Each structure stands twice: as C-alpha cells, then as structure tokens.
C-alpha cells in the first residue's frame, strides 16, 4: 500500500506574510485529511513562520532546494543540516533548477546523497523536454535521469519521485493521465532494476505539470500515480484543498 503524497511547490512566490496567510487559510482542512500525505514547500525564508503555523498538525514541511555540503564558504546557500532541523522533505532536481541554475545529474545525485545522509525525505524530479518528447526520447531520458540520481546509493531508502514533463510545467498543458502513468511505470521499472522489485513497487511517484482541481482526478485514478507536485494551483487555497481532498477520496476507494 503506497500512501499518496501531494506537495505544494510555491516556487518563488509569496512574501513571508503571504505564505503565512495562505497556509493559515488551508491548515484546518488540510489537517483533517487522512490517507494522503500533505507537504507544503514555501520559499526558504517562509519555512520557519510556516512551521509555526502548522505546529501540532499532520501537515509536513518541505524546502524547494538545498546545497549538498554541510557547511562552509558557500555564500547564499542552504545546507541539509540547516533544513533537517526544520523540514521533513526537500525537492531536488526540479527542472527549473536544472534549466536555470545549473543543476546537472551529478549535482542532483550529490544532493540526493546529502538529503538521505541528513534524514531529509527527498522528492526527486525527473522529466523530458518537449523536443525530447517529440523525438521519442522520453523513456531514455527518464531512465538516464533516474539512474544518475541514484548513482552510488547502494540501498533504496524512501524517496519520492516526481515525474514532471517539462512541457507541462506552468503551461496549462498537462499530460494525459495514461501518458503519465506509462512513464511512471518506466520509473518503477528503473528502480526495480537498481534495487529489486520491492523498491519498484513501494516507491511513491507523483505526477507534476499543470495539475489543477479540474484534472487531478484523471491523474490520481491511474494505478501507478501516487500523488502530485503542484505549482501554480498551490497558491490558491480552495484549489489546492480540492486537489488534496480529491486525492484522498479517490485513493481511498
Ligand atoms: P505547475 O508546476 O503546477 O505550475 O505546472 C509544477 C511544478 O513545477 O512542480
């Protein structure tokens, strides 16, 4: 039984006051749900205030990125040690970081090792570009990214994977449920190859890319989709609540 996980990726949105207000407005209904893990990933500077808001609830907190070194002369960076004091989760290898901030497969691998070493639950993002998708390279790209992310990690430890086709992120053009499910099965296959069938069956894999309250049901009713990584729609309280509530309902039936 895989417990679905829905994560809100605020990205570089919300001031501290706005994040505080948004989370305050969602807290009660989010806390009431069971059978679905709920993770909020505000910007770094809002982590501590949001942690205060969700104190005593079952809502989890996540960061959107981190550096892999534990401390030192790395101006502007945040370390796994710092995050481990505050957060449960950390998003790694988001396509925006890969495309805009130089996060290569090797860097994602170092970050994944660091997150696991310091007790943070990683959400590792993988996904193909439109060009790769149209060129029929999706499976190859996904297999390569998964293999590279887990390089040198001998045993599988609870890691969430987010399949986020880059062409679907922030575009309003989500993948189809069956397309997402097919790629997610490829990811399960890659994990099975690396760590055995058990890992492939137990790993939780989210879909991400233009998820809304109107299309979440299509994804979550797929057998291999274990939740969603939600960007834009997580900034609207009613919409995000509906996404999480539909996930809980559909996965419990
Ligand atoms: P989106 O972003 O929901 O705004 O498409 C998803 C993500 O990048 O995690």
């Amino acid at each position: 039984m895989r417990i679905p996980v829905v994560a809100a990726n605020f990205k570089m949105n919300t001031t501290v006051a706005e994040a505080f207000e948004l989370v305050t407005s969602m807290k009660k209904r989010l806390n009431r749900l069971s059978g679905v893990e709920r993770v909020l990933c505000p910007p770094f500077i809002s982590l501590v205030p949001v942690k205060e808001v969700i104190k005593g609830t079952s809502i989890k907190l996540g960061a959107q990125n981190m550096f892999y070194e534990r401390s030192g002369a790395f101006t502007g960076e945040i370390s796994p040690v710092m995050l481990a004091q505050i957060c449960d989760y950390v998003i790694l290898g988001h396509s925006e970081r890969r495309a805009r901030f130089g996060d290569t497969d090797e860097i994602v691998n170092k970050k994944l090792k660091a997150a696991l070493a310091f007790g943070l639950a990683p959400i590792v993002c993988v996904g193909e570009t439109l060009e790769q998708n149209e060129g029929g390279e999706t499976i190859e790209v996904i297999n390569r990214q998964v293999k590279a992310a887990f390089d040198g990690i001998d045993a599988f430890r609870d890691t969430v994977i987010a399949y986020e086709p880059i062409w679907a992120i922030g575009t309003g053009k989500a993948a189809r449920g069956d397309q997402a499910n097919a790629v997610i099965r490829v990811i399960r296959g890659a994990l099975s190859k690396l760590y055995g069938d058990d890992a492939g069956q137990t790993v939780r894999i989210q879909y991400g890319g233009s998820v809304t309250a109107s299309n979440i049901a299509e994804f979550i009713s797929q057998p291999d989709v274990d939740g969603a990584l939600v960007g834009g729609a997580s900034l609207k309280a009613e919409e995000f609540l509906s996404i999480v509530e539909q996930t809980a309902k559909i996965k419990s039936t």
Side-chain angles (χ1 to χ4, degrees), residues 48-69:
V48 171
V50 166
K51 189 179 173 69
E52 275 303 302
V53 177
I54 61 175
K55 201 155 96 187
T57 72
S58 53
I59 304 163
K60 305 266 171 73
L61 190 63
Q64 298 173 16
N65 178 40
M66 65 173 205
F67 192 46
Y68 49 78
E69 295 288 354

Side-chain angles (χ1 to χ4, degrees), residues 204-216:
R204 293 182 297 167
I205 309 179
Q206 302 170 310
Y207 167 76
S210 296
V211 169
T212 63
S214 321
N215 65 18
I216 183 67

Side-chain angles (χ1 to χ4, degrees), residues 223-246:
D224 287 284
V225 179
D226 302 318
L229 182 53
V230 185
S234 72
L235 298 169
K236 299 175 222 150
E238 269 311 316
E239 177 131 24
F240 186 68
L241 286 164
S242 169
I243 291 169
V244 186
E245 286 167 357
Q246 290 183 61

Side-chain angles (χ1 to χ4, degrees), residues 72-242:
F74 304 104
T75 302
E77 290 298 324
I78 305 276
S79 90
V81 180
M82 298 169 191
L83 290 182
Q85 307 255 305
I86 303 171
C87 294
D88 308 287
Y89 278 90
V90 60
I91 299 172
L92 300 175
H94 190 282
S95 63
E96 286 150 17
R97 297 225 47 99
R98 292 180 191 255
R100 305 286 295 269
F101 303 100
D103 279 16
T104 59
D105 279 341
E106 288 93 315
I107 290 174
V108 174
N109 173 247
K110 284 185 175 171
K111 290 183 175 184
L112 176 56
K113 285 176 176 158
L116 292 170
F118 291 100
L120 286 158
I123 299 177
V124 176
C125 303
V126 296
E128 81 287 2
T129 64
L130 183 60
E131 212 184 358
Q132 291 165 333
N133 183 280
E134 287 175 345
E137 294 163 45
T138 301
I139 292 178
E140 184 192 324
V141 170
I142 297 300
N143 273 324
R144 192 182 64 226
Q145 287 176 339
V146 171
K147 225 172 128 205
F150 287 91
D151 188 42
I153 299 174
D154 337 311
F156 182 73
R157 271 188 291 153
D158 197 16
T159 299
V160 174
I161 297 181
Y163 168 54
E164 298 206 308
I166 296 169
W167 46 271
I169 296 177
T171 58
K173 267 179 55 186
R176 289 193 323 267
D178 62 321
Q179 280 176 318
N181 199 68
V183 179
I184 286 175
R185 288 184 82 101
V186 169
I187 300 173
R188 289 199 191 288
L191 263 295
S192 296
K193 234 193 209 156
L194 289 172
Y195 300 110
D197 283 348
D198 235 32
Q201 281 315 304
T202 55
V203 60
R204 293 182 297 167
I205 309 179
Q206 302 170 310
Y207 167 76
S210 296
V211 169
T212 63
S214 321
N215 65 18
I216 183 67
E218 178 181 345
F219 294 105
I220 218 66
S221 37
Q222 297 288 331
D224 287 284
V225 179
D226 302 318
L229 182 53
V230 185
S234 72
L235 298 169
K236 299 175 222 150
E238 269 311 316
E239 177 131 24
F240 186 68
L241 286 164
S242 169

